[in-house]
Amino acid sequence: MAAFFVQSLAQAPEPPTDAITAATTLTQLFAIGINHQTAPVSLRERVAFADHALPAALAALRALPAVREVALLSTCNRTELYAVADDQGDALCDWLASHPDAGDLHAYLYQHRGADAVRHLFRVATGLDSLVLGEPQILGQVKQAWSAARGAGALGGQLDRLFQQSFVTAKRARTDTRIGANPVSVASTAVRLAQESFARPADSAVLLIGAGETVELIARHLAQAQVKRLLVANRTLAHAQELAQRHGGIALPLSEIDRHLAEVDIVFSATASREPVVRRAQVAAALARRKHRPMLLLDLAVPRDIEPEVATLKDAFLYTVDDLERAVEDNRRSRREAADAAEAIVEIQVARYMESHAASTRTEPLKRLRAHADSTRADVLAKAQQQLAAGHDPHAVLDFLAHTLTNRLLHAPTVALRQAALEGDNDLARAANKLFPATGTGTDASGSDSDSGRLEAEN
């Protein structure tokens, strides 16, 4: 059967690049990355990409010789590459592990391939691979990675379908299980940590640094906890003012943190800065003005916003995203049953994706056959129109159109069937009988017809 199609398409033009990409085997699909399970924040922050840096990074990745498609997911807890590549993934690993300022991170990378790469993305989008099990923010971040890759022209058909299926999987898991019931994000876990500490929000002044999604979530949780006083500092004052207005706070420019740091009991920071925005000297000065009343600082950014040396100060209690691992252990246990159900949904969706991908590769010969027929029809029709324009008899032109089109379409199958008969290829003969059941026409046993000589003349 396959041989028949190959022969019948012998005269067809080479398939377009998109067709080749659609038929790419799953063994060329990779998921490569570093996350909270394989590396500490001090290493992850070296390969964290801010939104504005994504286009350049995607362009560099797409320019790698073996890479056909690529998407880059970068969050506080992971930086991952999803790609279709012609090599063994080596170029992608080398790019990520030796990224400027990264040093050598090869030992901290993981690589998934084929079905394992599909499964990994589905688990990530569902929240099953998150620091906080089932947290909802990751799905939005996966969608942003997909959108950025599309916008940069780095996404092709295979990755596009894969990401679309990951969205379906995540939605199904949250609808059919309790993995999304009362979702707990990194932001809510951080606020809960504050509530269980010496600095309860209801009795404290709180400073939020940043104005992005994480800080917005923290502000909502603080409002629910009836925070006593809320200050919001951001490099763009207008953004701080908008967030502060929504949650009853006071907005500050980032440059005024020094003036107000001594007033607050808790600091939450989550910016996209490449450099620390709160340094040890600033906190030391604030603690002195507070007469060494303790201060709780929670750094949720990657790269880190608060200098690690702040932790050496006697009355400063600094936590990073890695420290939340212990705080969310209870959450993991309570959600394990729901997670097991979600894992089952992931496996079902992986199987469906695999079936869909296999079907797309099986139908590729049919697409080429159709394209060849359409091309032949257009060519013969153009010649017939030229004959009509030249004043040829319309009946003769119609006769030319019908015979030429028939002969061109049947030439390659006819030759293949003749060869099969000579070689005793019964499989091909049976396939032909299925495709071309007897209709009682005047075709002879050899498979030739009255126009074969004409066809030979044309070829």
Side-chain angles (χ1 to χ4, degrees):
M1 179 72 171
F4 173 75
F5 277 117
V6 171
Q7 291 294 331
S8 69
L9 297 175
Q11 296 177 328
E14 287 297 315
T17 301
D18 286 348
I20 295 174
T21 301
T24 300
T25 62
L26 275 174
T27 58
Q28 293 172 298
L29 175 65
F30 295 91
I32 297 167
I34 184 172
N35 66 16
H36 60 282
Q37 299 175 42
T38 66
V41 65
S42 59
L43 296 180
R44 298 200 307 274
E45 64 188 1
R46 299 180 190 176
V47 287
F49 294 85
D51 289 345
H52 66 82
L54 286 178
L58 288 166
L61 286 163
R62 188 64 183 84
L64 295 175
V67 176
R68 291 184 182 180
E69 307 176 36
V70 66
L72 171 58
L73 172 63
S74 184
T75 74
C76 291
N77 290 317
R78 71 183 64 245
T79 295
E80 294 180 335
L81 306 178
Y82 294 91
V84 177
D86 293 330
D87 64 359
Q88 301 299 310
D90 296 338
L92 293 163
C93 287
D94 291 343
W95 185 90
L96 185 58
S98 59
H99 194 68
D101 300 327
D104 185 357
L105 300 180
H106 280 93
Y108 301 93
L109 296 183
Y110 48 83
Q111 179 181 132
H112 303 290
R113 189 171 185 174
D116 290 336
V118 175
R119 182 177 295 102
H120 181 74
L121 176 58
F122 289 4
R123 294 187 76 253
V124 168
T126 306
L128 290 170
D129 197 56
S130 294
L131 172 62
V132 179
L133 186 63
E135 59 101 354
Q137 287 173 276
I138 186 62
L139 178 57
Q141 292 165 331
V142 171
K143 288 183 176 179
Q144 289 171 2
W146 164 75
S147 178
R150 289 190 69 183
L155 209 64
Q158 186 170 349
L159 279 187
D160 188 38
R161 289 189 293 273
L162 176 64
F163 272 81
Q164 295 281 0
Q165 191 66 31
S166 77
F167 306 152
V168 172
T169 301
K171 182 177 180 182
R172 177 64 58 84
R174 293 190 176 280
T175 300
D176 295 354
T177 76
R178 294 187 59 80
I179 192 72
N182 301 313
V184 179
S185 66
V186 171
S188 65
T189 302
V191 173
R192 187 175 64 185
L193 181 63
Q195 290 174 311
E196 295 173 354
S197 73
F198 59 85
R200 298 178 63 251
D203 303 321
S204 304
V206 178
L207 170 64
L208 302 182
I209 304 176
E213 182 180 359
T214 298
V215 172
E216 174 72 40
L217 289 171
I218 291 172
R220 292 179 188 174
H221 290 298
L222 288 172
Q224 293 173 359
Q226 300 180 326
V227 61
K228 182 178 180 180
R229 186 181 180 217
L230 184 64
L231 305 179
V232 182
N234 192 57
R235 198 175 304 278
T236 303
L237 181 59
H239 294 165
Q241 290 172 332
E242 292 172 3
L243 194 150
Q245 185 176 11
R246 286 195 294 271
H247 301 287
I250 300 172
L252 308 169
L254 203 60
S255 58
E256 291 190 13
I257 284 181
D258 282 351
R259 291 178 52 191
H260 298 276
L261 195 55
E263 303 170 14
V264 301
D265 307 294
I266 309 172
V267 177
F268 294 91
S269 189
T271 77
S273 175
R274 302 297 300 181
E275 299 293 332
V277 295
V278 177
R279 299 191 178 274
R280 184 184 188 281
Q282 293 173 288
V283 178
L287 288 172
R289 290 169 56 195
R290 289 170 59 83
K291 301 186 184 302
H292 294 280
R293 284 185 292 116
M295 181 184 296
L296 177 65
L297 302 99
L298 297 106
D299 187 351
L300 306 184
V302 177
R304 287 172 288 185
D305 280 342
I306 302 174
E307 278 189 336
E309 292 77 11
V310 168
T312 64
L313 297 171
K314 182 179 179 181
D315 299 301
F317 297 85
L318 174 63
Y319 294 87
T320 69
V321 288
D322 283 355
D323 295 316
L324 295 178
E325 179 74 32
R326 292 182 294 274
V328 301
E329 190 57 38
D330 288 344
N331 172 270
R332 284 200 181 103
R333 284 195 294 269
S334 66
R335 293 194 174 198
R336 181 46 53 192
E337 183 177 347
D340 289 343
E343 293 279 12
I345 290 174
V346 166
E347 289 304 317
I348 291 172
Q349 294 298 324
V350 169
R352 287 181 178 174
Y353 177 82
M354 299 286 287
E355 291 170 1
S356 174
H357 179 80
S360 71
T361 60
R362 286 194 297 266
T363 59
E364 193 59 35
L366 297 178
K367 293 178 183 178
R368 292 181 58 196
L369 182 62
R370 171 68 69 176
H372 174 53
D374 288 343
S375 174
T376 301
R377 174 186 53 79
D379 180 54
V380 176
L381 180 60
K383 290 181 179 179
Q385 290 171 335
Q386 290 174 357
Q387 292 182 15
L388 288 173
H392 291 197
D393 178 54
H395 291 289
V397 173
L398 285 175
D399 184 63
F400 162 81
L401 175 65
H403 282 81
T404 302
L405 186 59
T406 300
N407 289 337
R408 287 196 182 182
L409 291 176
L410 293 181
H411 173 66
T414 299
V415 172
L417 285 171
R418 283 174 180 166
Q419 188 65 30
L422 291 173
E423 297 176 355
D425 188 345
N426 295 327
D427 289 339
L428 188 56
R430 281 193 293 269
N433 284 331
K434 272 193 172 183
L435 288 171
F436 306 115
T439 59
T441 61
T443 302
D444 63 31
S446 68
S448 64
D449 54 37
S450 59
D451 299 300
S452 60
R454 186 172 181 176
L455 177 61
E456 297 299 330
E458 288 185 357
N459 286 277

